[in-house]
Amino acid sequence: LIALLLPAVQAAREAARRMQCSNQLKQLGIASHNYHDVHNSLPSGRPGSTSNNTVTAADGQEWGRWSAFVAMLPFVEQNALYDTMVPLLGPMKKAGTVVNANAKHPWDGSETGAGANGVVWRAARTKVTAVVCPSDSQLLVRTSADHGPTSYAVSGGDYTPLTDDYQYGRSRGAFVPCRWLGLASLSDGTSNTLLFSEHVSSRLDQKIRGVVGNIAASSLPTASGACETTFIAKTCLDSATNGEYTVGISSGYGDRWSDAANYFTWLNTILPPNSPTCRTSGDPNPMINPPTSFHNGGVNITLGDASVRFISDTINYGTLTASGPLCVSSGASNFGVWGALGSRNGGEATMP
């Protein structure tokens, strides 16, 4: 009897967790719209220090490297946390914001006292339930010494930038580094453009959900702007067999909800849900980071109209070969229906 009942109980519990996760993504969608109502734009994917693409090499590296989730804190009932952090951070808004000379970065733990570094460090370690999926079991064993983790990420569309590219405004998605896009910029339609999805936090095993596979540098772009000319997605897809990596791995994905580096709070729509996540070792780190979850068969996503859908692992993502397809900087996506869902202005009308 136990053998018959236990799977049913577990399935019922997962169904409840998936529903709660879906509701949280819905709330993120509503929060992004409320942010838009106040600021006439979505949050920047990574603020930097200016209101446009003219950013110096130092900007966005540290002081401006705060995620869109930080900007959205007041809209997910985290006003107190926002008010604690933002006076000590770099700019969080566009137009007329000046860099705070004492601004702190997301990983600073050099001062644990009452100073600004300590204040920001402790605040960034706060567990924000709005960005945690209950099916992400690894989050249940986090300790107080960890940075605040996240199960969710913002979409950069069908583009894989270098780590440092995020300060220069390269993105095909709804969120762009150093730019604040209005919903009108989603010219493919808000109901056709991805905003948020899931990516389970890191765990210490070879399974593709959570950790990142380290692949050969020649398989991904190694110079700024090279994404459009040198890019092989199939190498990443082939880096795992039967759900486990056959290459070396790195942990840490999703360890900082406050950090706007692509290793922590970004995803792209190149490989389908629950495919391998890959990067080259060393900086800069170009990445392929598809959504992942512990829901059976797919992931929850939030679209630009704040609706939530469940996307299957089997969604069409084009045809991958050992020589491409290549990234594109404009026009229709090379990655099928899934890529089209990520691009904000590719001109594609296809929906899953």
Side-chain angles (χ1 to χ4, degrees), residues 73-117:
L73 285 174
F75 304 97
V76 291
E77 300 181 345
Q78 292 289 341
N79 299 70
L81 185 58
Y82 181 86
D83 292 340
T84 298
M85 297 177 71
V86 167
L88 304 174
L89 306 184
M92 297 304 301
K93 302 174 184 177
K94 63 178 179 178
T97 305
V98 178
V99 175
N100 181 347
N102 298 313
K104 307 304 171 185
H105 47 64
W107 60 90
D108 199 329
S110 59
E111 181 181 337
T112 58
N117 282 27

Side-chain angles (χ1 to χ4, degrees), residues 141-173:
V141 298
R142 295 279 179 172
T143 69
S144 59
D146 289 314
H147 287 277
T150 178
S151 308
Y152 304 132
V154 301
S155 172
D158 57 336
Y159 193 94
T160 177
L162 306 180
T163 301
D164 295 343
D165 273 353
Y166 275 131
Q167 69 188 24
Y168 297 116
R170 295 187 178 99
S171 168
R172 292 255 294 171

